[in-house]
Amino acid sequence: MTYHPAEDRYSKMVYRRCGKSGLKLPAVSLGLWHNFGHDTPHQVKRAICQTAFDHGITHFDLANNYGPPPGSAEEAFGEILRTDFAGFRDQLIISSKAGYEMWNGPYGEWGSRKYLIASCDQSLKRMGLEYVDIFYSHRFDPDTPLEETMGALEHIWRSGRALYIGISSYNSQRSREAAAILRDMGVPLLIHQPSYNMLNRWVERDGLTDTLDELGVGSIAFTPLAQGLLTKKYLGGIPEGSRAAQEKSLNSNVITPEMIAKIKALDEIAQSRGQSLAQMAIAWVLRGGRITTALIGASKPSQVIDCAGAVSNLDFTEAELAEIDRHAQDEAINLWARSSEMG
Ligand code: NAP
């Protein structure tokens, strides 16, 4: 069936300027890490993307390795671009990344010029695009000179393969260095993509949020729902088909009685705000305007609708924030390392 986007889509979403750039991003963005590989029916992928666009979500985040198998999420999205979003390219912000293992041999991961440029070309081919809007270095490579990795991003940017450049999961110090190298080459660093949610606050601990403010770089927080933990879905056990049931990247052993008690307490706060817990978790990440956009994932369209609804209440009282902090702290659980290794 031919897809016609909702006419009122732009009135449903809030758009926020990305750092000091001219680019505005929707407060909620959609990532295609999970549920866009060969393990998910194509109709579900289409429905998730259509629902997102219908609710004003203009930003779709990909990476070379999203699947399974790696590359299949970009292929699926390329198909959706052709069947559903043809004619809307200029209304979309599409990103991709390279950094994690993508192909065999010494040139298939990390941060060399060889890998990044070849991977960007492969991503464009899989999606059938002439350019992506944002291209990221997916992770800092300790063994490649940062000048080389940033030089590859500069080439990608200058050759028109990407309109903007980003980095993901770089700490505060590395981000400063990367931004300075790019600045010297005349390339602005648009955006940083770190993990961030109520249970994972490394960006605050590390000083990254302060650094990004100072540099005028925007930010897109991934796993704002802690992979689904910060929703009501696990309160009655582990539902079939959920991420924890599949043991993909969310380890079921983090769902302890103590964790459930915290989530229940958070859910009560969300209810008192007239929001779902997922909506409050997204609003929390976006509070105060320091994070440009919350990057969610979804396994069904109804989740996208729920998450997009977060924008109707983004403000918190001091008392609400203190109450959240009483129940949710920066947790040292291995889930986060695993998620940033895989994403
Ligand atoms: P998330 O939003 O924290 O978790 C998404 C999961 O939460 C969904 O798959 C779904 O779980 C559940 N969910 C979403 N909305 C819900 C709702 N309203 N009610 C109940 N459950 C809901 O984010 P994520 O998928 O882990 O990551 C988001 C994106 O961040 C990725 O797609 C990717 O683009 C990016 N990312 C980047 C990196 C990196 O290194 N740069 C790493 C990881 C992720 P079920 O599937 O169980 O239904």
Side-chain angles (χ1 to χ4, degrees):
M1 243 188 5
T2 313
Y3 163 69
H4 299 288
E7 293 286 343
D8 62 347
R9 60 192 178 280
Y10 293 118
S11 64
K12 296 179 184 168
M13 183 47 63
V14 169
Y15 298 90
R16 295 154 56 117
R17 188 168 300 280
C18 190
K20 288 198 180 127
S21 77
L23 186 71
K24 287 183 181 172
L25 293 175
V28 178
S29 301
L30 180 70
L32 278 60
W33 176 28
H34 287 303
N35 310 310
F36 281 81
H38 290 174
D39 51 354
T40 304
H42 191 67
Q43 281 310 324
V44 174
K45 301 174 204 172
R46 280 184 78 184
I48 291 172
C49 290
Q50 290 174 0
T51 304
F53 195 43
D54 283 343
H55 286 77
I57 296 179
T58 49
H59 180 24
F60 295 84
D61 180 75
L62 293 106
N64 56 357
N65 60 337
Y66 292 176
S72 57
E74 288 184 333
E75 282 166 5
F77 190 65
E79 184 62 27
I80 293 165
L81 281 171
R82 282 185 289 279
T83 55
D84 300 332
F85 293 160
F88 296 100
R89 176 68 184 94
D90 295 339
Q91 297 185 34
L92 299 172
I93 298 296
I94 302 165
S95 61
S96 190
K97 323 181 188 79
Y100 289 93
E101 186 178 352
M102 187 58 197
W103 63 87
N104 285 338
Y107 318 116
E109 64 176 327
W110 292 109
S112 71
R113 182 178 178 87
K114 170 78 177 166
Y115 168 57
L116 289 185
I117 295 171
S119 184
C120 183
D121 284 341
Q122 291 181 14
S123 291
L124 292 175
K125 209 170 179 182
R126 280 191 290 268
M127 291 190 277
L129 289 174
E130 287 172 14
Y131 67 93
V132 286
D133 296 279
I134 308 170
F135 192 79
Y136 289 88
S137 161
H138 209 159
R139 58 172 167 173
F140 173 73
D141 178 352
D143 297 322
T144 295
L146 196 52
E147 287 76 8
E148 177 173 338
T149 305
M150 293 305 116
L153 293 183
E154 184 240 11
H155 179 76
I156 285 166
W157 179 82
R158 219 171 276 287
S159 61
R161 290 169 170 92
L163 302 186
Y164 298 95
I165 288 307
I167 54 177
S168 179
S169 300
Y170 282 48
N171 68 22
S172 174
Q173 177 60 29
R174 298 301 184 195
S175 300
R176 268 181 202 286
E177 291 166 13
I181 295 166
L182 287 170
R183 197 181 316 115
D184 284 349
M185 293 188 292
V187 183
L189 175 60
L190 175 79
I191 195 165
H192 191 301
Q193 185 173 135
S195 60
Y196 185 43
N197 59 56
M198 293 191 285
L199 300 169
N200 169 18
R201 307 184 182 194
W202 78 269
V203 297
E204 297 172 14
R205 237 186 307 123
D206 179 67
L208 180 66
T209 28
D210 293 334
T211 298
L212 297 180
D213 273 354
E214 196 188 310
L215 296 173
V217 172
S219 53
I220 176 163
F222 71 79
T223 57
L225 305 176
Q227 300 204 50
L229 212 50
L230 291 171
T231 71
K232 288 178 77 159
K233 75 179 326 144
Y234 294 112
L235 291 184
I238 298 181
E240 203 181 318
S242 64
R243 205 178 284 188
Q246 297 176 56
E247 297 277 356
K248 273 181 179 165
S249 52
L250 178 61
N251 216 316
S252 60
N253 67 16
V254 301
I255 306 171
T256 58
E258 295 73 34
M259 181 59 81
I260 294 295
K262 287 179 193 181
I263 296 168
K264 278 192 176 142
L266 293 171
D267 185 43
E268 279 175 26
I269 306 171
Q271 283 180 35
S272 71
R273 289 167 47 82
Q275 282 186 312
S276 70
L277 177 52
Q279 290 174 339
M280 184 176 82
I282 291 166
W284 184 88
V285 158
L286 297 171
R287 75 198 185 287
R290 297 184 86 188
I291 299 289
T292 313
T293 171
L295 176 53
I296 61 145
S299 61
K300 41 176 97 89
S302 58
Q303 293 176 346
V304 175
I305 297 170
D306 182 33
C307 292
V311 299
S312 55
N313 184 7
L314 293 177
D315 297 324
F316 289 86
T317 64
E318 286 303 319
E320 284 171 337
L321 291 175
E323 188 61 8
I324 288 171
D325 287 349
R326 233 165 49 80
H327 301 289
Q329 299 86 30
D330 197 15
E331 301 267 344
I333 39 185
N334 75 355
L335 154 77
W336 320 121
R338 288 193 62 202
S339 84
S340 76
E341 270 162 29
M342 295 178 68

